[in-house]
Amino acid sequence: YIDGHEHVHMLPGILRCVIDLAKEHGIKYIRIPLERSSYLLEGAYAVDIFRHAVLKPLAATALKEVKKAGLFSNSHFLGHIHSGRINENVLALMLGRMEEGVNEIAFHPAVFTKGLLGCTPRQADSARELKTLLESGWRKRAEELGIRPVTHKEASS
């Protein structure tokens, strides 16, 4: 699959290149970070609202272009608004709001050293995201809701 750091692949000129490269190299799936505005009500910061307002129209246009090119993408996207702050409660909220289709959740799980955190302070909660993925009961909750985790390969077939 293809995506871009900070979703830069949603910019129109870059998106055209990404689509062309995907077709040239047999890559069938491009991430479209089109997150529902209703998630802004759940603990969003001002910067999240700004990023969402800029990204949403770009992602909506990109979704049409990717489909027109005969490529696949996620049907729904979660995690951009809560980037770096996904804990068990936020994940439970996301699971409860998933819709029919391929729902992609963006996580940034990691273990950071003190020195690395100085370079990337926005990702200070990445260890918590890793712990949420590894230790919380999200898999059981997903199963109860009829949600089946898949890989990008499965999503594009």
Side-chain angles (χ1 to χ4, degrees), residues 116-137:
L116 188 55
L117 275 176
C119 300
T120 59
R122 220 175 122 231
Q123 300 302 325
D125 289 332
S126 292
R128 182 176 63 191
E129 287 195 8
L130 178 61
K131 184 177 178 179
T132 297
L133 284 170
L134 295 176
E135 297 177 9
S136 75

Side-chain angles (χ1 to χ4, degrees), residues 2 16-28 69 71:
I2 297 177
R16 184 74 257 153
C17 292
V18 167
I19 288 172
D20 291 346
L21 286 169
K23 290 173 120 179
E24 181 180 334
H25 294 281
I27 299 169
K28 296 179 180 178
L71 300 172

Side-chain angles (χ1 to χ4, degrees), residues 34-51:
L34 184 56
E35 192 163 15
R36 289 186 7 211
S37 298
S38 62
Y39 293 140
L40 289 170
L41 303 175
E42 306 293 338
Y45 299 142
V47 68
D48 302 321
I49 295 167
F50 175 76
R51 287 181 13 229

Side-chain angles (χ1 to χ4, degrees), residues 35 51 77-84 86 94 104-106 108:
E35 192 163 15
R51 287 181 13 229
F77 188 82
L78 305 101
H80 183 252
I81 292 169
H82 296 91
S83 181
I86 298 175
M94 290 177 179
E104 185 171 346
I105 301 177
H108 297 89

Side-chain angles (χ1 to χ4, degrees), residues 8-156:
V8 70
H9 66 295
M10 294 293 96
L11 296 172
I14 295 173
L15 178 65
R16 184 74 257 153
C17 292
V18 167
I19 288 172
D20 291 346
L21 286 169
K23 290 173 120 179
E24 181 180 334
H25 294 281
I27 299 169
K28 296 179 180 178
Y29 184 100
I30 298 176
R31 172 184 288 156
I32 304 295
L34 184 56
E35 192 163 15
R36 289 186 7 211
S37 298
S38 62
Y39 293 140
L40 289 170
L41 303 175
E42 306 293 338
Y45 299 142
V47 68
D48 302 321
I49 295 167
F50 175 76
R51 287 181 13 229
H52 178 74
V54 170
L55 185 59
K56 187 172 182 174
L58 292 171
T61 299
L63 179 60
K64 292 175 189 168
E65 292 299 314
V66 166
K67 285 184 177 186
K68 190 167 85 175
L71 300 172
F72 297 94
S73 71
N74 46 296
S75 311
H76 310 284
F77 188 82
L78 305 101
H80 183 252
I81 292 169
H82 296 91
S83 181
R85 300 187 313 273
I86 298 175
N87 59 30
E88 198 165 342
N89 293 332
V90 172
L91 183 53
L93 173 78
M94 290 177 179
L95 290 172
R97 290 188 172 178
M98 285 191 173
E99 300 177 53
E100 186 72 28
V102 175
N103 289 262
E104 185 171 346
I105 301 177
F107 287 95
H108 297 89
V111 176
F112 283 99
T113 63
K114 189 174 181 177
L116 188 55
L117 275 176
C119 300
T120 59
R122 220 175 122 231
Q123 300 302 325
D125 289 332
S126 292
R128 182 176 63 191
E129 287 195 8
L130 178 61
K131 184 177 178 179
T132 297
L133 284 170
L134 295 176
E135 297 177 9
S136 75
W138 74 268
R139 287 184 188 273
K140 182 179 181 202
R141 179 69 180 135
E143 187 178 305
E144 290 168 356
L145 293 168
I147 297 168
R148 185 177 64 89
V150 298
T151 66
H152 286 99
K153 185 176 181 179
E154 291 170 303
S156 62

